[in-house]
Amino acid sequence: SFSRMERDKDSFAMEVCRPADIAEDAKDAFLTRYPDDEYFFSLQIDENLPYVAADGDAMVNVLVNLLENAWKYGGDERRIDFRIFKAEEEVCFEIEDQGIGIAPSERQSIFQKFYQVDQKLSRAVGGCGLGLSIVEFIVSAHQGRIELESALGKGSRFRVFIPIEN
Protein backbone atom coordinates (compact mmCIF):
# COMPACT_ATOMS: atom_id res chain seq x y z
CA SER A 1 0.00 0.00 0.00
CA PHE A 2 2.80 2.41 0.92
CA SER A 3 4.71 1.76 -2.32
CA ARG A 4 1.54 2.29 -4.32
CA MET A 5 0.93 5.61 -2.56
CA GLU A 6 4.50 6.79 -3.13
CA ARG A 7 4.28 5.99 -6.86
CA ASP A 8 1.04 7.92 -7.31
CA LYS A 9 1.28 10.82 -4.86
CA ASP A 10 -1.69 12.57 -6.44
CA SER A 11 -3.99 9.59 -6.05
CA PHE A 12 -5.95 11.08 -3.16
CA ALA A 13 -9.58 11.91 -3.95
CA MET A 14 -9.82 15.36 -2.41
CA GLU A 15 -13.24 16.78 -1.69
CA VAL A 16 -14.77 19.22 0.75
CA CYS A 17 -15.33 17.34 4.03
CA ARG A 18 -16.73 17.97 7.47
CA PRO A 19 -14.00 17.27 10.05
CA ALA A 20 -16.65 15.91 12.43
CA ASP A 21 -17.59 13.22 9.87
CA ILE A 22 -13.95 12.19 9.47
CA ALA A 23 -13.55 11.99 13.26
CA GLU A 24 -16.76 10.01 13.77
CA ASP A 25 -15.79 7.54 11.02
CA ALA A 26 -12.35 7.09 12.60
CA LYS A 27 -13.91 6.59 16.05
CA ASP A 28 -16.35 3.99 14.69
CA ALA A 29 -13.60 2.08 12.86
CA PHE A 30 -11.36 2.15 15.93
CA LEU A 31 -14.07 1.10 18.40
CA THR A 32 -15.07 -1.80 16.15
CA ARG A 33 -11.59 -3.22 16.60
CA TYR A 34 -10.98 -2.08 20.19
CA PRO A 35 -14.28 -1.96 22.13
CA ASP A 36 -14.02 0.65 24.87
CA ASP A 37 -14.92 -1.62 27.80
CA GLU A 38 -11.24 -2.11 28.70
CA TYR A 39 -10.06 1.52 28.64
CA PHE A 40 -11.30 5.11 28.74
CA PHE A 41 -12.06 6.75 25.40
CA SER A 42 -13.39 10.26 24.88
CA LEU A 43 -14.22 12.19 21.74
CA GLN A 44 -14.69 15.95 21.83
CA ILE A 45 -15.62 17.76 18.62
CA ASP A 46 -15.97 21.53 18.68
CA GLU A 47 -19.13 22.90 17.11
CA ASN A 48 -19.21 24.78 13.83
CA LEU A 49 -15.87 23.58 12.53
CA PRO A 50 -14.93 24.86 9.09
CA TYR A 51 -14.67 22.39 6.23
CA VAL A 52 -11.39 20.91 4.99
CA ALA A 53 -10.31 19.62 1.58
CA ALA A 54 -9.44 16.00 2.19
CA ASP A 55 -9.62 12.43 1.04
CA GLY A 56 -11.96 11.33 3.80
CA ASP A 57 -10.92 7.67 3.71
CA ALA A 58 -7.23 8.53 3.83
CA MET A 59 -7.76 10.87 6.78
CA VAL A 60 -9.75 8.19 8.60
CA ASN A 61 -6.76 5.87 8.08
CA VAL A 62 -4.46 8.51 9.60
CA LEU A 63 -6.62 8.89 12.68
CA VAL A 64 -7.23 5.16 13.15
CA ASN A 65 -3.48 4.57 12.98
CA LEU A 66 -2.88 7.18 15.69
CA LEU A 67 -5.74 5.83 17.81
CA GLU A 68 -4.37 2.29 17.52
CA ASN A 69 -0.92 3.49 18.58
CA ALA A 70 -2.47 5.26 21.57
CA TRP A 71 -4.13 1.97 22.50
CA LYS A 72 -1.03 -0.19 21.87
CA TYR A 73 1.34 2.05 23.82
CA GLY A 74 -1.18 3.35 26.33
CA GLY A 75 0.23 1.55 29.35
CA ASP A 76 -1.69 -0.41 31.96
CA GLU A 77 -4.46 2.14 32.46
CA ARG A 78 -5.28 3.05 28.90
CA ARG A 79 -6.87 6.45 28.37
CA ILE A 80 -7.37 7.96 24.92
CA ASP A 81 -8.59 11.52 24.45
CA PHE A 82 -9.54 12.45 20.89
CA ARG A 83 -10.28 16.13 20.20
CA ILE A 84 -11.06 18.11 17.05
CA PHE A 85 -10.94 21.91 17.06
CA LYS A 86 -10.12 24.95 14.93
CA ALA A 87 -6.58 26.28 15.30
CA GLU A 88 -5.92 29.49 13.35
CA GLU A 89 -6.49 28.62 9.66
CA GLU A 90 -6.43 24.87 10.24
CA VAL A 91 -8.47 22.13 11.81
CA CYS A 92 -6.60 20.12 14.43
CA PHE A 93 -7.22 16.43 15.07
CA GLU A 94 -5.57 15.67 18.42
CA ILE A 95 -5.04 12.23 19.96
CA GLU A 96 -3.55 11.97 23.43
CA ASP A 97 -2.68 8.98 25.58
CA GLN A 98 -1.24 8.55 29.07
CA GLY A 99 1.09 5.73 28.07
CA ILE A 100 4.78 5.00 27.83
CA GLY A 101 5.74 8.13 25.88
CA ILE A 102 8.52 8.64 23.34
CA ALA A 103 12.06 9.73 24.21
CA PRO A 104 13.20 13.06 22.70
CA SER A 105 15.96 11.25 20.79
CA GLU A 106 13.37 9.04 19.04
CA ARG A 107 10.81 11.68 18.03
CA GLN A 108 12.12 12.48 14.54
CA SER A 109 12.92 8.86 13.71
CA ILE A 110 9.45 7.47 14.42
CA PHE A 111 8.20 8.84 11.09
CA GLN A 112 10.82 6.92 9.08
CA LYS A 113 9.77 3.78 7.23
CA PHE A 114 10.29 0.56 9.20
CA TYR A 115 11.52 2.41 12.29
CA GLN A 116 10.43 0.96 15.62
CA VAL A 117 11.46 2.44 18.94
CA ASP A 118 11.60 -0.81 20.89
CA GLN A 119 11.81 -4.10 18.99
CA LYS A 120 10.64 -6.13 22.03
CA LEU A 121 7.65 -3.89 22.54
CA SER A 122 6.72 -3.85 18.86
CA ARG A 123 6.76 -7.65 18.76
CA ALA A 124 4.39 -7.69 21.74
CA VAL A 125 1.90 -5.23 20.26
CA GLY A 126 2.39 -5.92 16.54
CA GLY A 127 3.35 -3.70 13.65
CA CYS A 128 6.17 -3.34 11.17
CA GLY A 129 7.15 0.31 11.54
CA LEU A 130 5.20 1.74 8.61
CA GLY A 131 2.19 3.27 10.37
CA LEU A 132 3.61 6.67 11.26
CA SER A 133 5.44 7.03 7.95
CA ILE A 134 2.11 6.45 6.18
CA VAL A 135 0.46 8.96 8.53
CA GLU A 136 3.09 11.59 7.71
CA PHE A 137 2.84 10.86 3.97
CA ILE A 138 -0.95 11.28 3.92
CA VAL A 139 -0.89 14.41 6.07
CA SER A 140 1.77 15.95 3.82
CA ALA A 141 -0.30 15.13 0.72
CA HIS A 142 -3.12 17.13 2.34
CA GLN A 143 -0.80 20.15 2.73
CA GLY A 144 -1.00 19.51 6.47
CA ARG A 145 1.46 18.91 9.26
CA ILE A 146 1.82 16.67 12.28
CA GLU A 147 3.18 17.60 15.70
CA LEU A 148 4.19 15.40 18.61
CA GLU A 149 4.49 16.21 22.30
CA SER A 150 5.62 13.37 24.54
CA ALA A 151 7.22 12.62 27.87
CA LEU A 152 8.57 9.23 28.89
CA GLY A 153 6.16 7.51 31.25
CA LYS A 154 3.53 10.22 30.81
CA GLY A 155 2.19 9.68 27.32
CA SER A 156 2.05 11.28 23.91
CA ARG A 157 -0.06 13.84 22.09
CA PHE A 158 -0.19 13.79 18.31
CA ARG A 159 -1.74 16.73 16.50
CA VAL A 160 -2.66 16.60 12.82
CA PHE A 161 -3.34 19.99 11.26
CA ILE A 162 -5.23 20.20 7.97
CA PRO A 163 -5.82 23.59 6.25
CA ILE A 164 -9.32 24.99 6.21
CA GLU A 165 -11.05 24.87 2.82
CA ASN A 166 -11.54 28.36 1.40
Side-chain angles (χ1 to χ4, degrees):
S1 293
F2 193 79
S3 294
R4 193 170 37 239
M5 279 191 315
E6 280 188 317
R7 279 193 307 272
D8 191 9
K9 292 182 181 193
D10 298 322
S11 65
F12 294 101
M14 300 296 204
E15 58 188 20
V16 177
C17 299
R18 291 183 59 233
D21 292 343
I22 293 170
E24 289 287 348
D25 288 349
K27 177 198 81 167
D28 292 345
F30 173 72
L31 291 177
T32 298
R33 188 161 179 199
Y34 301 96
D36 64 353
D37 55 350
E38 298 176 13
Y39 60 95
F40 177 82
F41 180 90
S42 72
L43 173 60
Q44 177 186 350
I45 303 173
D46 283 1
E47 293 183 26
N48 302 316
L49 288 172
Y51 289 84
V52 295
D55 180 319
D57 291 337
M59 285 304 301
V60 167
N61 286 336
V62 163
L63 298 172
V64 168
N65 185 294
L66 294 173
L67 289 166
E68 287 180 348
N69 282 351
W71 187 88
K72 288 177 185 179
Y73 303 108
D76 294 334
E77 295 184 34
R78 290 186 175 101
R79 176 186 177 98
I80 301 170
D81 294 299
F82 184 16
R83 294 178 281 276
I84 298 85
F85 54 92
K86 183 177 183 274
E88 302 291 326
E89 296 301 312
E90 301 167 305
V91 171
C92 179
F93 298 87
E94 179 181 85
I95 296 170
E96 182 175 9
D97 67 60
Q98 308 300 315
I100 62 172
I102 302 165
S105 61
E106 305 283 348
R107 290 188 194 149
Q108 290 301 317
S109 301
I110 63 170
F111 295 102
Q112 295 174 6
K113 285 187 270 187
F114 304 112
Y115 186 84
Q116 294 178 316
V117 173
D118 183 334
Q119 295 295 326
K120 290 182 286 190
L121 184 57
S122 58
R123 275 194 298 275
V125 298
C128 62
L130 282 175
L132 289 176
S133 59
I134 292 172
V135 163
E136 186 178 54
F137 180 84
I138 293 171
V139 170
S140 177
H142 284 75
Q143 312 310 305
R145 60 193 170 91
I146 187 164
E147 292 180 356
L148 167 63
E149 292 177 17
S150 189
L152 284 175
K154 297 189 183 205
S156 300
R157 176 184 299 144
F158 284 87
R159 289 186 182 116
V160 172
F161 295 90
I162 301 298
I164 292 170
E165 172 62 21
N166 294 322

